[in-house]
Amino acid sequence: MEGKEMYRLAQRLFPICRSLTGNGVRETLKILQETMPNMQIYEVPSGTRAFDWTVPDEWNIRDGFIADGQGKRVVSFKDHNLHIMGYSEPVDQIVGLEELKRHIYVQEDQPDVIPYVTSYYKRRFGFCMSKRQRDGLRAGQYRMYIDSTLEPGFLTYGEYLLPATVLGGAGQEILLSTYICHPSMANNELSGPCVAAALACWLEKQPVRRYAYRFVFVPETLGSIVYISRNLEHLKRAVAAGFNLSCVGDNRAYSYIESRKGDTLADRVARNVLRTHAPGYVTYSYLKRGSDERQYNAPGVDLPVCSICRSKFGEYPEYHTSADDLSLISPEGLQGALDVYRKCLRGLEYNRYYRVSCLCEPQLGKRGLYPTESYKGSADAVRDMMNLIAYADGSMDLIAISDTIHAPLETLIPLVDRLTEAGLLEICEGRGKGQ
Amino acid sequence: MEGKEMYRLAQRLFPICRSLTGNGVRETLKILQETMPNMQIYEVPSGTRAFDWTVPDEWNIRDGFIADGQGKRVVSFKDHNLHIMGYSEPVDQIVGLEELKRHIYVQEDQPDVIPYVTSYYKRRFGFCMSKRQRDGLRAGQYRMYIDSTLEPGFLTYGEYLLPATVLGGAGQEILLSTYICHPSMANNELSGPCVAAALACWLEKQPVRRYAYRFVFVPETLGSIVYISRNLEHLKRAVAAGFNLSCVGDNRAYSYIESRKGDTLADRVARNVLRTHAPGYVTYSYLKRGSDERQYNAPGVDLPVCSICRSKFGEYPEYHTSADDLSLISPEGLQGALDVYRKCLRGLEYNRYYRVSCLCEPQLGKRGLYPTESYKGSADAVRDMMNLIAYADGSMDLIAISDTIHAPLETLIPLVDRLTEAGLLEICEGRGKGQ
Amino acid sequence: MEGKEMYRLAQRLFPICRSLTGNGVRETLKILQETMPNMQIYEVPSGTRAFDWTVPDEWNIRDGFIADGQGKRVVSFKDHNLHIMGYSEPVDQIVGLEELKRHIYVQEDQPDVIPYVTSYYKRRFGFCMSKRQRDGLRAGQYRMYIDSTLEPGFLTYGEYLLPATVLGGAGQEILLSTYICHPSMANNELSGPCVAAALACWLEKQPVRRYAYRFVFVPETLGSIVYISRNLEHLKRAVAAGFNLSCVGDNRAYSYIESRKGDTLADRVARNVLRTHAPGYVTYSYLKRGSDERQYNAPGVDLPVCSICRSKFGEYPEYHTSADDLSLISPEGLQGALDVYRKCLRGLEYNRYYRVSCLCEPQLGKRGLYPTESYKGSADAVRDMMNLIAYADGSMDLIAISDTIHAPLETLIPLVDRLTEAGLLEICEGRGKGQ
């Protein structure tokens, strides 16, 4: 599953009206199950407590519109699901323009877009439209109509665990979390589930997995809180590194959001890979967090989770508006994100503490690994290999060595294989267990 | 006691001839006692040993002048007490110009000022005047006259302890030291005692003091050495942070002098507060020390003492000359220093290790602390609060959180109160005891 | 032994044909023994194993040339020993130009120099000449002639130990390693043995040596590997700091190559001394290593060895060519290197943990160490002394104090003596044993 297939998946998922709960979430997860048949789907009843939170009633919507005096629809849910504020309670009411406007939401600084607005925890209803459209509304009577239900139901999420193939990872896992609660928007957020699905496909095909890989598809914020509340012990024990996949679909930038602690294994591999893959990438501190990394990094949860994005949430103009549509993302954008994450995961698989197996430099020449004539510059050709050997003292993991000798992980991985085969490099089992 | 009252106090203290010992010191302390009636005054006899030092004879002076052949006073102690070198022994002698000049001190690079010169530990006498005046002296006979006494007496200092009102500070104290040995100079050094007195007034009125506050009014260098030698054990056990108050009266700059270790609690709060209060403040390393911080930070003494100044000693042209007069300092200058120190002390009072009381983010909306509508930008209004919660993991004190999230302590303190009241933040008693 | 004598020694050693093994090495060591009569010379038989390596056959050469059809020598070993590739096997063969060229080595990017080429571990033979000369060769028959032997013999190296004169160094040593395998080249590498010999002379004359000094003269790479393999236990236990002396003869630059760990005692003193001695010096990370520091710093060997060079190997155009001749180095260049190393060794001798012997500042005035008149600026004259006292808390060694107070070691050393005599400074025996 590469760029084009990811984009096709995004096209298919785009029209579904997802929210914090409801059938849109279920439908989305079912489509994702086509790629990951072993994904488990969980239903958490309304009223369930999760730390400081309670799962609210389930919301479903069939229709919604504003109609003018002539019955002409001014805005309609059928045209765009962003026209109805998420979690709007049902209404059917005739009102004057002034009263209508109290229920209209626009993006004042972007006159042509429909904003994305929700009110999950306080009952109200609302309509979203472009500022231009609202300002053009004439005085008169309007019908506000929303055919929705807010009833005890469930919060729905999916989980997919791809086990390790070897025991080397010591029962540790890589966590990949993304969210499935946004209605029709593309970079934020259909790109996350699409790239996650592609990563799952790719990982399944790997002959060796030292780590298990845990994919989590949840509604944002409450979903991750519920998920953590049900799995905290396990996550704290097992997760070696994690990533929140969000905004990974456009082709304009690479971004990286630090974990709270800023130097976890996840951060280290992300920075290492980005430095080579996308030297111009932008770093955001944890102060610029905004998605489920907030929950994974919360005090007492303390999971080593960071994010690599393309254009990061909150940092591009189309964010949380109808302009974040399928034209914003592209097969190339999705592919770039997939490539970066693959490099990170491959780096983590190889990230062990290595030690050169002899004292002083090994004699590489007799193994055909070094030029037998010594002249000015003859050592340059094997510089990365020599540096790898020089720093493989059992105290630095491969990421640290890569950072130190300025050689990309993807350059070092084949050298690790070659030197290991030659018996010159060995893994220090005692160090960095599970990393 | 605010800027104007501080300035008035400085005006009243200015004419007194202070020195290392003597009645000028006593008179000064008595005036300060009007503000701090519970201040204890100590008299340490001449000959007392204090570490490597010995308290010298007490010096008092009634008059002193140079008169020309006509009996006209060229310079007179009555005009300016800087005209007589501090600790001058008595003299009454008629000499020619050449011999006279051997006893005249001028500031060669500042022709119009009287320099401040002392000779505490070697018996000599001297007259200080402007270079211009000295250069204008004509040949002839001059009378050198100083009516002073150097006799066994006392070194005098004051100490004022304001106790904590609660047990939370675990018996710890904040040390505030300043000096009372400089004759008629204003920024260095009447500003220090004046701001110290105002801080004492302000602290007395605080309903809660987690720390005790120990004010020390000593003659510089020997006074602090004597004070430390008599209180070392207690100071080392009790002082959580300390400040040497000096040069806090003019309105041209804010300066900060690091402690020797550079990262004590005192340094941390000083840097934190200055960053917001006076972003252009100048940092001086401990290599630029010069006042009693030298003793408090000496090896083996090792107290966490730094300084916040306005124009720092040694760094402004009027320093240690008659130009450092009441026109150099101002109510505004003194007020600025008072404000900074208040912010530091308030910050220290609140500087504890806080921990959010639930796992994952708390649901602030249901407590009226968070907007219930979610739209683009809705989280900005509560950014500082969310960041405070995100970092309140019990491992960072409030200063560290403030540094990390770039929110001033004065912004965080009311948030701490609000979140504590809401039961969302708790103090980690186990951590950072007394800090 | 200063600059001129070092240069004369270089002149004398220059013509000798050194290599990995052989009589050129022996002859060189014998000349060095004139300066260091107690130097031990070791002979390690061919076939001896040293970690991953084996000592190869010994190589000796009597003559070698290419002659044209008329018997005229195109290049000759007698003219320049670089004309014959190091470790060339014997040959006597008439060939055409094309075949001849297969055995000719030139430096393609430097048309006028003879490159330095060796093939220690794979049997071949070769001739080196300038590119210009090779390109001018006309078609015809040529005689390739090398009269060399490759037979079981020995690898030869020298070691000279200068013992400590006191017990203060706790049996610790300073290691000074250089190499004696390069044929007729001057900066790299006759400068190393010449400066090492001068250092040995100078150290012998010192009345007090807290450390022992171990000089090692080995063929590069294999020599140091052999040496380490025979002395590893002792070196790991005894070496407090070490330096690889290479490229210390020209007068164009000062360079410093970090040890692998980058902050050993050797690095610290090198950086400290260079900062003052040669502020424009260039720092090379361990990634730019290339000489025997590779072996001393190898994982598991882990000796604290760095290098101070003049123009560093690989970084100047004449490197490893016939242009690295006696005109490249100079008495001044050698002297500069000698001076820097002397300062480093002297700094190490004084590098102890000092503690001021009284609490608070000592009263220097009564000891004649401080001006008794206090006026603006009077403390400047004793600034370095006051700073030394202020930081002598027993937690920092002298290098750390020097770094912190920005005063060169050579300024501090007499102050240490003076304050120690005055009883104001004492050595903390418990700390930094042997450093």
Side-chain angles (χ1 to χ4, degrees), chain A residues 361 363 366 376 387 393, chain C residues 52-53 105 110 260 289:
Chain A
E361 288 182 346
Q363 191 182 0
K366 70 185 182 190
K376 197 159 139 179
N387 284 341
D393 65 355
Chain C
D52 196 44
W53 301 69
Y105 295 81
Q110 291 173 272
R260 182 160 61 92
R289 71 197 177 283

Side-chain angles (χ1 to χ4, degrees), chain C residues 162-173 203 206-213 348-350 352 427 429 434-435:
Chain C
L162 197 55
T165 64
V166 293
L167 290 177
Q172 292 223 289
E173 302 180 357
L203 283 165
Q206 300 306 305
V208 177
R209 290 186 300 270
R210 205 159 60 84
Y211 286 109
Y213 290 83
L348 289 172
E349 287 285 335
Y350 267 86
R352 312 190 71 163
I427 292 161
E429 290 298 346
Q435 305 204 349

Side-chain angles (χ1 to χ4, degrees), chain A residues 356 358-364 366-367 372-376 386-387 389-393 404-406 424, chain C residues 51-53 105 110 117-119 121-122 124 225 232 260 286-287 289 294-295 298-300 317 319 321:
Chain A
V356 64
C358 67
L359 288 164
C360 291
E361 288 182 346
Q363 191 182 0
L364 296 172
K366 70 185 182 190
R367 297 178 178 88
T372 53
E373 289 162 1
S374 168
Y375 51 88
K376 197 159 139 179
M386 295 310 289
N387 284 341
I389 288 168
Y391 285 89
D393 65 355
T404 302
I405 72 175
H406 312 140
L424 288 175
Chain C
F51 301 133
D52 196 44
W53 301 69
Y105 295 81
Q110 291 173 272
V117 183
T118 66
S119 179
Y121 301 105
K122 181 163 181 203
R124 45 165 77 86
I225 292 170
L232 183 64
R260 182 160 61 92
Y286 188 65
L287 296 175
R289 71 197 177 283
R294 284 151 39 211
Q295 313 310 330
Y319 169 71
T321 74

Side-chain angles (χ1 to χ4, degrees), chain B residues 266-288:
Chain B
D267 295 278
R268 293 175 58 230
V269 77
R271 285 196 292 255
N272 181 293
V273 164
L274 283 166
R275 188 166 50 234
T276 309
H277 181 91
Y281 80 97
V282 183
T283 298
Y284 295 95
S285 92
Y286 186 65
L287 296 176
K288 292 294 213 165

Side-chain angles (χ1 to χ4, degrees), chain B residues 352-373:
Chain B
R352 313 190 71 164
Y353 289 82
Y354 298 96
R355 184 166 41 206
V356 64
S357 60
C358 68
L359 288 164
C360 291
E361 289 182 347
Q363 194 184 357
L364 296 172
K366 69 185 182 191
R367 297 176 178 88
L369 297 170
Y370 198 92
T372 52
E373 290 163 0

Side-chain angles (χ1 to χ4, degrees), chain C residues 135-155:
Chain C
D135 293 351
L137 291 177
R138 304 213 192 127
Q141 296 295 91
Y142 289 91
R143 183 177 174 198
M144 305 190 296
Y145 178 83
I146 297 177
D147 176 14
S148 66
T149 53
L150 270 162
E151 290 164 0
F154 299 91
L155 176 147

Side-chain angles (χ1 to χ4, degrees), chain C residues 138-210:
Chain C
R138 304 213 192 127
Q141 296 295 91
Y142 289 91
R143 183 177 174 198
M144 305 190 296
Y145 178 83
I146 297 177
D147 176 14
S148 66
T149 53
L150 270 162
E151 290 164 0
F154 299 91
L155 176 147
T156 311
Y157 71 85
E159 181 184 28
Y160 173 45
L161 179 70
L162 197 55
T165 64
V166 293
L167 290 177
Q172 292 223 289
E173 302 180 357
I174 307 299
L175 175 69
L176 296 151
S177 181
T178 189
Y179 44 103
I180 40 142
C181 58
H182 282 50
S184 297
M185 286 173 294
N187 193 42
N188 179 37
E189 191 62 84
L190 278 177
S191 62
C194 294
V195 171
L199 276 172
C201 288
W202 174 75
L203 283 165
E204 242 167 17
K205 287 186 221 122
Q206 300 306 305
V208 177
R209 290 186 300 270
R210 205 159 60 84

Side-chain angles (χ1 to χ4, degrees), chain B residues 258-432:
Chain B
E258 294 180 342
S259 74
R260 181 161 63 91
K261 301 203 169 154
D263 203 29
T264 70
L265 181 57
D267 295 278
R268 293 175 58 230
V269 77
R271 285 196 292 255
N272 181 293
V273 164
L274 283 166
R275 188 166 50 234
T276 309
H277 181 91
Y281 80 97
V282 183
T283 298
Y284 295 95
S285 92
Y286 186 65
L287 296 176
K288 292 294 213 165
R289 71 199 177 282
S291 174
D292 284 332
E293 70 278 6
R294 284 151 40 212
Q295 314 311 329
Y296 293 118
N297 283 281
V301 179
D302 296 323
L303 295 175
V305 172
C306 72
S307 281
I308 301 172
C309 307
R310 303 298 313 250
S311 291
K312 177 191 166 287
F313 46 79
E315 305 289 334
Y316 61 96
E318 301 86 354
Y319 169 71
H320 270 203
T321 74
S322 55
D324 187 349
D325 61 18
L326 287 167
S327 71
L328 196 75
I329 67 169
S330 63
E332 295 71 30
L334 294 157
Q335 183 73 45
L338 178 63
D339 289 347
V340 166
Y341 275 108
R342 277 180 189 159
K343 287 181 188 176
C344 288
L345 301 185
R346 196 164 151 72
L348 289 172
E349 287 284 337
Y350 267 85
N351 187 46
R352 313 190 71 164
Y353 289 82
Y354 298 96
R355 184 166 41 206
V356 64
S357 60
C358 68
L359 288 164
C360 291
E361 289 182 347
Q363 194 184 357
L364 296 172
K366 69 185 182 191
R367 297 176 178 88
L369 297 170
Y370 198 92
T372 52
E373 290 163 0
S374 168
Y375 51 89
K376 196 160 143 180
S378 58
D380 287 357
V382 290
R383 200 193 41 178
D384 288 335
M385 189 191 298
M386 295 310 289
N387 283 341
L388 171 57
I389 288 168
Y391 285 89
D393 65 354
S395 81
M396 301 165 85
D397 62 16
L398 195 65
I399 295 170
I401 293 178
S402 166
D403 287 345
T404 302
I405 72 175
H406 311 139
L409 283 170
E410 54 198 292
T411 303
L412 293 184
I413 285 171
L415 295 176
V416 165
D417 283 342
R418 209 187 309 169
L419 290 171
T420 307
E421 278 157 33
L424 288 175
L425 215 54
E426 56 197 26
I427 293 161
C428 301
E429 290 297 346
R431 288 297 310 264

